[in-house]
Amino acid sequence: MNNTINLENAHHITLPNGLRVMLCHTPEASESFVSMAVRAGHFYDPHDCQGLAHLLEHMLFMGSRHLPKPNAINGFIEQHGGTINAWTGTEYANYHFNCSGDAIAQTLPAFADMLRQPLFEEEALTNEIKNIHAEFEFKKKDDLRRLYQIHKETCNPEHPFAKFSVGNSDTFSQHGCAALKQQLKALHHTYYCAKNMCLCIASTMPLPQLEALVHQCFASMPSGQLASDDWPALYTENELGIQINIHPLQSAKRMIVTFALPALQNDYETKPLNYISHLIGDEGEGSLLAYLKEKDWALNLIAGSGIEGDKFKDFNVSFQLTQNGLENKNRVLEALFSYISIIREASHEDWRFHEKSKLNTLALEYEENIKPLSLVTEYAQHQFIFGPDELGKLRSTIGSYDKGVIDHALSFFTPDNIRLKVISKDVKTTQVCAFYEAEYSVENIDPKLLQELRSPETISELQLPPPNPYLASEYSLILPETGFNIPNKLVDNGGYRFWFAQDQQFHSPKGDIYISFDAAKFSDSLLAVAAKRIWLGALNDHLQAKYYRAEIAGLHYRIYGHQAGFTLHTRGFTNQQTLLANQLLAAVLDFIPDEKAFEHHKALQIQSLHNSLLNKPTNRLFSRLSVLIQRNTQAPVELLDVIDSITYEQMHNCRKRAFEHYFIEAFMHGNWSSEEARVFSKALQEQCVNAGGGPLSRAVSKLPVGGTLYHEVLCNHDDSAVVLYLQAPSPGFTDTALCMILEQMLAAPFFNALRTEQQLGYIVGTGYVPHNQHPGMAFYIQSPQCSPKHLLDSMTEFLFQQLNEIEFYRFYWPTIQQNLIKQLEERDLTLSMKSQRLWVSLGTQDLGFNRNVKLAERVKELSFEEIQDFAQQLAKRERCGELVLFSKGKFEAIPTQEKRTINSISHFKQEIPYY
């Protein structure tokens, strides 16, 4: 499948009513993508009804003139092979959907009807207020949302950014239902008009027909007026030069330095902020981060993110600090401003700018994983700022060097133009923010410190990056060789297996190398896993500065743990990738952290595990599900005790024993010749002298059929949550296909019945959930107002009713069948996605590399009677294993029998049989 969008050749029209439209003809694509941007974000909320724009966005899905039922538009789009969604931001709301390429003639009129003629039924309005309140409650323990609210309370109170954007039952209940309905109608009438909207469509439909369709759907929309965006300054001098101290829920030590800028992100010709963030965010040797890590002041640094709008931009430099760094935060600030001084002094050295431009060119020329719907959504909004000629250059312009523009941008990077956030459990706070109850305090930054930062001392260790040694002068393609379009086993000697496939589809100078180590002594106990986690953390930290230049030149790497050991994965341009893989492999085999690094990464692992226990209840339940079903996956709660007491000697011994005996499976796929693959395989084999033995088991728990197992997960959260997991009896094509089909059949009705109608919670859904390719499906709800027993009873009542009335779905079966076949037959979108699919196939012994094709064939053959039989067996509890995971929140736990309850994870894993 090809969904490439060429935006440079877009066709621009303006309808007589003023609607601006950008059309892209994509004849090779299999889908159409549509986005409508409306200048009607929360900035336009009335002061006495904050959150109204968000409520309006929800209400547009609750029925329109031609599709009057709530969420009918969702079902309609799904029937045409797509999905629809929306969001409400600061200045804009956005509505977007995709559908089968030729279905746009049916879907676009329904989309226009939804935007133009919403019904605003009072019952639906009451329900959506409950949903928004549940969404609000869901985010109350989210540190990012709490931080965002404090940001709002500490900016200029006259700027609309200060408004509460989400809304909840308290803010809406100040108005009666009838009055609220009138406010929604007024907001819709004022802002949902042609001159205040911009449309972007990428479709397979030829342009003349597409243009005619747009006229047909939107020409009758009232013209209205473009909404004003004449706001006061986001920050006055009262809101600059301040330090905001924030108490987080999760263990965190962060400092965010915010520079208040005009909308410099809209300069698409020079892109000065890209250049500045590239330098400040550098992680190589001599960089600001490398210096701070050497001093044990910081663990990480991110430059450039921050809120932005059409006329403002926050440029954040965000530091993840150590305890030492928190105590020396003023010196961290001095280092930042010392580094900015170096950047300012070197702004005349244009070679760095041109190197960054070359990196941008390469990234665009060989871009992978472009998400067409995101792109179309972006361009719908861009039409409010840029003209048609400029829109065509946004992605193609690489950046032309202009010292004046760079110097102007750097003129805002001064100590007097900062806001400082210090986030730690150690800070003193004096007030509590509205809605999210986060504690914080505000104070002026010490004038003496600001004076020191205006002329920071030179730090000799800080240097701007040298020329990138990994940036090749040219990237060429190899000649295709017969028979290598699928993985070929080049070596298999028991302890070492090497596969190679050549890219003959994407014609890109890129590739992937996977090297997996199955090491029993890194996976056979909680101690071994604890040792592996600390060692991997220290290893990745050790490599970060050393290979950062490779990373930004398009040569990426990851070293990550898995159930049986760990994997080294490199990807990107094939030039020098084998060199990088060899260098990384040498480090993997030789690296032993010293005691200081061990203690440091042990503390980080403890912090990370503690933080994972603060995740939202549904996330915790799914994480625990993986632990219970996969033999070699461990729970954070069990790892904590072990990692807390592990010694340096124990870690060292585990690492030493792990590398005495291991199994290696490697896979190389991309723009290489078979000879290059053989040379690399030989070098790899020579490096890994202790490769012996076979691969380790990826066993899956065999849940009992005919009765439910229960497992409670303790969460520090008021919401209750339930996950009902049904495990298929085999990984065969029939069981897999039936699981996938039934989950897709029940997904929309489950959401509509339990969220839209019964209002049980904000997080309601279903999912096809395989573990190590063993199929299963899950039904889940998280609720602020219902007990877990109530949730489970509602879920099971729904399932029994639907399974016993499965005949109702006979009408929908052909559509579901076609959609699933389409998903399974989708071609790989990128070379890396294909590499990953082939790599997974190797891991699951799918050596025909066609599991999805065979699954699609099985789906084509399935009769509705087979689905009926499966549903009836499920209803009688004769087919699938059942597991209920729950978190009680502020409610009573689900009453269960002792013999059906999993109390000890390790005991359960010892007793349960395995597939």
Side-chain angles (χ1 to χ4, degrees), residues 185-193 196 224-225 227:
K185 282 185 168 181
L187 193 72
H188 182 265
H189 174 75
T190 305
Y191 297 110
Y192 282 67
C193 55
N196 203 44
Q225 291 300 320

Side-chain angles (χ1 to χ4, degrees), residues 382-440:
H382 282 336
Q383 291 174 84
F384 283 96
I385 308 169
F386 302 105
D389 290 346
E390 294 172 311
L391 286 163
K393 296 175 187 170
L394 290 184
R395 283 173 64 77
S396 59
T397 303
I398 305 309
S400 52
Y401 173 73
D402 186 323
K403 184 178 185 300
V405 170
I406 293 166
D407 287 343
H408 172 68
L410 285 166
S411 71
F412 295 98
F413 286 75
T414 63
D416 300 289
N417 195 38
I418 66 168
R419 288 159 54 85
L420 192 61
K421 289 194 186 92
V422 179
I423 301 155
S424 166
K425 297 219 175 205
D426 299 338
V427 297
K428 289 191 167 57
T429 58
T430 57
Q431 61 197 100
V432 176
C433 78
F435 306 110
Y436 295 92
E437 297 156 18
E439 297 169 17
Y440 73 104

